[in-house]
Structures are given as C-alpha cells and as structure tokens.
Amino acid sequence: MKANTLISFILLFAFLLLPDEAMAQRRRRGVSSVDMPGSDSINFTIPRDSIGNDTLKRETVVADTVPASPKKQPLDAPVFYEANDSIVFEQGGYAHLYGQGKVNYQNIELTAEIITMNMDSSTVYARGVEDSLGVKTGIPIFKDGETPYETNTIRYNFKSKRGLISNVVTQQGEGYVVGNNAKKGANDELFMINGRYTTCDHHDHPHFYLQLTRAKVRPKKNVVTGPAYLVVEDVPLPIAVPFFFFPFSSSYSSGFIMPSYMDDSNRGFGLSNGGYYFAISDKMDLKVLGEIFTKGSWALSLESNYAKRYKYTGSFQGSYQITKLGEKNMPDYSETKDMKIMWSHRQDPKANPNSTFSASVNYTTSSYERNSINNIYNPNLMAQSTKTSSVSYSRSFPDQKLTISGTMNIAQSLRDSSISVTLPDMNISLSRIFPFKRKNAVGGEKWYEKISMSYTGRLTNSIKTKDDQLFNSNLIKDWTNGMNHSIPISATFTLFNYFNITPSVNYTERWYSRKVLKEYDQDESRLVATDTVYGFHRVYNYNASLGINTKLYGTYQPIFAFAKKKDVTIRHVFTPTVSLSAAPDFGASRYGYHKDVTYTDRNGEEQVATYSPYEGNSFGVPGRGKQGNISFDITNNLEMKMRSSKDSTKMTKISLIDELGASLSYNMAAKERPWSNLNTRLRMKFSKSYTFNMNATWKTYGYELDKNGKVVSSNKTEWSRGRFGIFQGYSTSFQYTLNNDTWKKLKAKLRGEKTEDEETSPESDTEENETSEDELNMSSRPKEKAVANEDGYQAFAMPWSLNLNYGVTIAEDQSKEINYKTMRYPYSLRHTFNCSGNIKLSNKWAVSFNSGYDFVAKEITQTTFNISRDLHCWTMTATLSPFGRWKTYNFTIRASASILQDLKWEQRSQTQSNIQWY
C-alpha cells in the first residue's frame, strides 16, 4: 500500500511537470538555441529579469526515458533565434517569436515583428504588424549573405532555400527592384510578375519607375525583364521596350555605351557618344566612342585611363572628326577635317626621387573646337584663343650636382591657326660649386675658397608656322636651333662687418647653325636677305660686376598718449644697394656681330643701316656699345610693434609698409642719355585678403622736336628742367569675395563686437598677420543647405558668394597726338572686370554665373548662367548664354542615377550663333 502510494505520488509529480514544456515562457531580450528535430533534447535559457533577482533559474527539460524513433536530419546547422517580447512553443514543432524576432541560419538572417517557425518542415513565416492608423512596423527584412530584402510577408524553407515573398524590395546597384509577389529560387534569384525598377529611394511610392511585366533578378549581377514601360507620377507613358537588361557589378567589366540621339539643323539627325568600353585590366581601360549624322558628318574618338600605384597615373584622348555642313553642290557647303590629342601623365613622387616625367598635351586643329558638336554649348571652350602643351623629363645626379632636363612645348593660336613648336628644349645645369675649397681645411677659411661657379646650358630647336604647314617644314631651313652656355663666377666678402661685397664675372656663349647676310634694296627701301650661310657660328659676350649692400635700422617711439599706453615702437629698415657692371662694345667690327650697310636714299643722301646676321636666332645677339653701369637701388620697410590688447605680456607686430623702393642706373660709357628710367615700387597690406601693389615707371628724358618737327626723346633730363620724370604708367588689380559672412563681420566691426575669427584665433607675435585658413579654403567649403525656421517656412539664410576681379592700367598713349605746350602725351585708362558667383536659393535650387565687361569694345563678355533643380531622383539643369559671341541655351531633365543616364529629355539651341531671344 505504501509502495503504491509512493509510486502514485511520483507519477503525479511527473505529470505536473509535463505541461511546463508547452507553457508560454515570458522572456526579456533572450537568446534561444534549439536543436533540430531528431535530437534528444531542447535547451533554452531564461535570463534574469530586470526587476530584482528573479527566482526563475535555468531549467533543462530532459526527454522521456523511452528513446524516440530516429528522424532524418533536415538541416546542416543549428537555427538560432531570439525575441524581445516572448517565444511560444506549440505542439507540432511550431515556435512563435513576438517582438523584434530574429532568426539566423548559416548566412541567412531574418528579422520581423512576428515570426513563426515550423521546425519539422524547416519553414519560417514572418510578417509585420499594423496599428489602428494603418502604419506598419516591424516588417520582415530577409538577408541572404550581403543581399537584404525588405518585404511585407515572407515564407521560406531553410532546406530547399526557396520562398514566397510579397511586396519585396531589394536594392541592386543604384536602383531598387520592387515586386508584389515574388518567388525566391535556390540560387538566390528572384522571379516576379508586375515588378518595378526605380532609382527613387521612395520605393513604396516612387516618383517614376519602369513597370516590369516579367523579370528575373540575380542579386549583384543583373536584372532581365520582358516587356517594360515607363511610369511617371503613376501615369504610364507611351514609352516601352520589348526587353530590358540592367547589369550590376562591383568590379570593372566591358560593355556597350548607348548613344544619344541628336537633331542639328546643319548636320541633320544623328547618334552621338555611343560605342564600347573595354575593361582591359585593373590598371588600364579603353573607351571607343563615335558619332554619325545623316548629312555625312562623323567622328571617332579613343579615351583611356591608366594608373599604377606608387608609379604613375594618366589619361589619353584622341579624336578625329569630319564635319560636313550645308547641302552638296551648294555655295554654303563645306567639309572640314579636324583632330584632337589630349594626354596627361603624372609620375608619383615615390617612384624615383632623381627623375621625373610629366606630360600635359592639348593639341587640336584650329577649327576642332568650333566644329565639335559637344563643345557648342560650352562657351569657355568656344572662346579659347590659345592652347599650350608640354612634355618634360628631368634627371638629376646628386653626387655630381648635375641635372639634365628636356621639354617639348607647343603653343597654338586658334585665331590665325599659327603654331609655335619647340622640340626639344634641353637644359643642363651644374649646381654651385666651390672649386678652390680645401677638402681637409686647417685654420680659417681663405678668401679664394669663397669663389664659386656654376654652369647652365640650353639647347633649343623651334619653329613658328601655320598648323597645316608644320609637317611639311624643312628641319634645316625652316626650324631655328641653337645652344646657349652660361658660366657665372662669383664670391661674397664682408667688409668692416657691415658691408657685403659681391664681385662676379659672367660669360655667355651661343652656338648657331646659320647666319643671314643682307643688302639694301632700293626698290623696297629696306634691307633684304641675300644669302644664308649654314655651318657652326660662335657668338659670345662677357661682363663683370661688383655689388655692395648693407642694412640700416632705426626705431622711433611716438610720444602721444595712445602710444605710451600700448608701448608703441616703430622700426624702419633701410636697405641700399650699389652695383657696378662693365662690358666691352660687342658691336665693334672685329666681333662681326653687327654689320653696317651704306646706301643712298631717294633724296640722294648717304645713309647707314645696321643689322645683325644672327638676329632671329634662339638666344639673340650681344648689344652694341660699351657698358659701364652704376645701378642704385633702395628698399624701405616700416613696421609697428605694440602691446597686445588681449595679453599684456605679448607684443604684436603690424606691417605699415611692406616695401617702398626705387631703382635707377647710370651708364658711364654712353655718349648720350646715360640715365635710365626711374622705377618705383610700393607694397602695402591693407587686410588679410588684399595686398596693394604698385609698380610705376618715370621717364628720365622728356620729349622735344627735331629739325623736321618729329617728336623724339630729349638729351636733357627732366631734373635739369626742375621737373620730376614723366609718369609712364601703372597697373594693379583688385580681387575680393563676398559671401554670407561678409555682412556679419562688417556689422560686428561697426558695433565694436568681436568676430568669430577674432574670438577663436589668438594673436601671435609673427612678423605680419597671416591669411586665415577659412579664407584660403573658402572655395572648398561644403555647400550649405537652406534651413527652415520654427514655423516650418524657409529661413532667409541662402548661401551665396560673389567673386569680383577688377584690373586697371594707366599708361602713356603715344598713339595719340602730343600736347605741344607741355610736351606730354595723354594717358589712356584700360579696365578689365570679371565676376562670378553662385547662390543656393533653397535645398533644391542653385544658380551660378560667370560674366564680365569689355571696356574697349564696350560690351558684356561671354556670359553663362547655370540653373539646377534637384527633383529628388531627377535633375533639371538649364544653361544660358544670352550675351557674348556665342548665344546658346540647353535645357535638360534627366534621371540622377548614372545607370539611367540615357533616360532624359533635352531641348537646346542649334549650332548657329545668331539666336533670337524673345
């Protein structure tokens, strides 16, 4: 009886424990681990509750002692799951996850508000919840590897890796693929009917999309569709395609480049910028583009970019085009052949410290820019008058202090089709050496050890001709070549500890391959070339000079009250320099550098004409007459030093006059007019952003009338007549940038307040105030966005900037008639003005412009306005050129994504420049 009673109590206790296995377990931020069907036990952990010490401990439910029948293992790895609210287990192998549930299996991750798992069939079902207002939260996000899918509901089988998805959203490249009902395949592909592809991130209700009747999506590979049509703002457009292919690739790959349709009144209908892209390697690519028009015009271009890390980077572009305008057999018909070569190469500084190679080539035929269909709407290219190209290489030998460099230069003038080519332009330079310096010096330095010398050699071969005659030129007869050698020898000594004395000797020698002999032609009344002598011709000259300079310092302390309070001291630095130079007369007949030709003019008087057989060569010829110059130069610098207002222990230096100087020379060997013109210079720093510079010239000798009544230079100085020199001219420029901060700083200064720059940047005792980093980087500041006030309206805080550039030149105008009373020519005033700016009207609107004024032609220069509007997933741009030589307009609305760059609507002017504005 007792035994039966004990067994009954044991069985009752066992039955009481069994319901706990199916009982709902409330969990907070728990993580559960469940073995798959076929295992012997189910283990889960209930963590400690946040309120006090929970009495619930880890419990383990052991299976019945009677072993279950073995089941087939359906999965290869355990499934991990968790939920923030609760997990409920039911009979039949079901588990329900409530509250931000999460399931992980291998590289598959599923999160949703409610998840139901059937562990027997290895399936999972997930959905979100919807509140009383219809707002859905916790919608399922399915992630297979690195590809996420956002859905409304999903049913997925872990074993077969297949599933059914409703309202799936997945990002592929720059766009989103949306499908109402989709089937996920075992290879991670999606099959859908009535799907959508859009680049608008409002994928639940996009501004535009391509309606895909049937589609197959291979994540991060491609999307292939059947018939598709365009829908904009829920309105289907009559734009459809029988099939569509969207490639997605994170690596480079080759492929076709779709052309753009064009309609031009002169060229006809055509396709432009279409071709093929070759992904040759990860270091180089190639793009082949072409265009063709119905009236016969066509073009072909090659573009390539290349790069090798720590070695070099560069790009190459070559184009050839044939432009046919007008109708055949008509007077206005024309056919032009043009070419263009652009090459840019830059060597990495780490590649080789002793050698450098760089290239910047921009060579075109004179009519290429005018005939290129892609440049018509770029006034800057159309208005270009010159183009320059250069290729250079240099090699240094540090141990020998030797540097060898070579350059090829090309300068084109597009106005008259002239071209100047220098090939090659080689330089050899030897750094300064001290040939008499002892290797193992004992005692003090000897005077001869201070003697130094260097060498510079230059070889050039150049030509000036028309671009269509360049390749027909003769290297010997048409090209000009020569070599120049320069050897300066100098030393520096100190006299009486205050004077620096620098004697020097300079020797220059030129090698030419030809000289031209001339005779006077009575019929043409000028010297004409009669013979060209080819061979080796040596032309040299030398001179010696001696320079003396020193510095004088003076200080002054003002006596007024402010100066005493601030401890003001003014320092004046005076730097005088005197130099003497001498050279023989290389115009003497024994040198042969200059020749005299005697002839009789039409009046029967004997005249003498002088010429040089070497004029026109690369490095010129030595001048005529003896040289015995004494040059004077003075420089003044004025600074003020006072105690800082922020820190009484520091002194601040302010530059009053950076430089005030003048230079003048006297030629002792000249027989007449030995004095040179007086050159003056002034530099003052008015603010951090503006420095005033002035360089003016004063003519020493005035004007007088010769016996024939012609105005010539006088032999008497203006000083001898009690007058200063004649002002010859002056030029300066003013550049300033206005923006939002300009008025704030101006108002703060007028109110006596400190600006943000003054509050954040401490004063320093440097020699002069340096330009702030904010002003130097003003152009590179990120664009600000227009903000809204507390009422939701846009605040009036539009970011803007205005760049002004004004230049003025005052010069003596000798083309006009002189004033015979004062013997002075009138002055002409020339102005140049350019301005550019931009303004961001709102977060979406932006306007920029570039313009100027030509004061000589009295007209507005080429002006360009750019207006852009961000339409979220679309971009609207308008370019207007209403003023200037070329008047054009271009209006475009296009999809912002680069993969849909051909999805656009464009309206623009034709190629002619006489547009009538209404």
Side-chain angles (χ1 to χ4, degrees), residues 434-451:
F434 296 85
F436 305 110
K437 187 178 285 293
R438 294 170 291 175
K439 294 183 179 180
N440 299 315
V442 179
E445 187 180 26
K446 305 297 183 180
W447 67 269
Y448 54 82
E449 291 184 284
K450 297 182 178 180
I451 299 175

Side-chain angles (χ1 to χ4, degrees), residues 756-771:
E756 295 181 359
D757 295 339
E758 294 175 346
E759 292 177 353
T760 56
S761 59
E763 290 187 28
S764 61
D765 54 351
T766 54
E767 291 296 320
E768 58 185 12
N769 294 326
E770 298 181 356
T771 305

Side-chain angles (χ1 to χ4, degrees), residues 768-805:
E768 58 185 12
N769 294 326
E770 298 181 356
T771 305
S772 65
E773 184 178 357
D774 289 341
E775 292 185 359
L776 291 175
N777 298 331
M778 187 173 297
S779 59
S780 61
R781 285 181 177 177
K783 295 183 178 180
E784 303 175 14
K785 289 187 176 180
V787 298
N789 56 24
E790 57 185 5
D791 296 328
Y793 295 98
Q794 180 178 306
F796 189 76
M798 296 180 294
W800 62 273
S801 66
L802 178 63
N803 302 312
L804 304 175
N805 192 330

